[in-house]
Amino acid sequence: MRPDKFLMRRLSGCFSAVVLSLVFVQPASGASGAWVADSASLTMTQKHWFYYSEPLMAPDDSGNRMITSVGWRFEASPHPALQAELCSTSRTRCINLGKERGQTRAFRGLPASEVMQLRFSMPGKGRLRKDVNIKNIQVIVNYHER
């Protein structure tokens, strides 16, 4: 097969794929948006205790909106045993966070007015040798209209 014929066949296949994807993709219903909330810093002093961020909530009535994804971030003084979770305050869902920043779809479908909270803990018992400071706590809730 000549190179120019091969290229034309390849391009027509790509064009067909693009056209088919445009035909079968459903447009998103409703408008999209996001809200951002921050919490004050925390200082962990004890093992086996839970430390909670302030409740993180939408700045306005989120009405008829549903969560599509939730992003989070925080900064913690280094400690390999630090455990962090992101929870909806209704406690219907909590997810373990393996890192200080990321995004999840685990809360997809919940109302965008759902209040979120980060929960931190350390395994073991007793006082920590060195306090763990957690700062710049933030969630970003992405949503769409129903």
Side-chain angles (χ1 to χ4, degrees):
M1 183 180 301
R2 290 182 16 214
D4 53 336
K5 253 189 172 176
F6 176 76
L7 181 61
M8 289 303 290
R9 211 177 261 185
R10 187 106 170 148
L11 286 174
S12 70
C14 290
F15 180 75
S16 298
V18 168
V19 169
L20 284 174
S21 67
L22 291 173
V23 170
F24 290 108
V25 171
Q26 296 286 332
S29 61
S32 297
W35 59 261
V36 178
D38 299 295
S39 175
S41 299
L42 301 170
T43 300
M44 297 176 64
T45 59
Q46 296 286 325
K47 297 176 184 175
H48 201 64
W49 286 11
F50 288 114
Y51 293 82
Y52 293 89
S53 71
E54 296 171 342
L56 302 160
M57 61 188 83
D60 60 2
D61 177 25
S62 296
N64 207 19
R65 301 172 183 157
M66 303 302 284
I67 294 175
T68 55
S69 65
V70 178
W72 75 88
R73 76 177 182 106
F74 62 89
E75 294 175 26
S77 48
H79 200 291
L82 177 66
Q83 298 171 347
E85 294 178 299
L86 176 61
C87 300
S88 61
T89 56
S90 62
R91 299 288 191 269
T92 56
R93 296 183 191 166
C94 287
I95 62 161
N96 290 319
L97 307 178
K99 52 190 173 183
E100 292 183 3
R101 65 178 55 227
Q103 188 170 10
T104 181
R105 293 188 182 273
F107 302 100
R108 185 180 184 94
L110 290 178
S113 59
E114 184 75 21
V115 179
M116 308 302 282
Q117 202 165 27
L118 275 82
R119 179 170 74 179
F120 302 94
S121 63
M122 297 288 270
K125 293 183 181 181
R127 180 146 172 74
L128 290 167
R129 287 186 194 178
K130 185 176 180 185
D131 292 352
V132 175
N133 296 308
I134 302 168
K135 60 185 179 179
N136 297 326
I137 300 167
Q138 183 179 71
V139 295
I140 302 164
V141 175
N142 298 295
Y143 59 80
H144 71 276
E145 298 282 339
R146 271 196 239 181

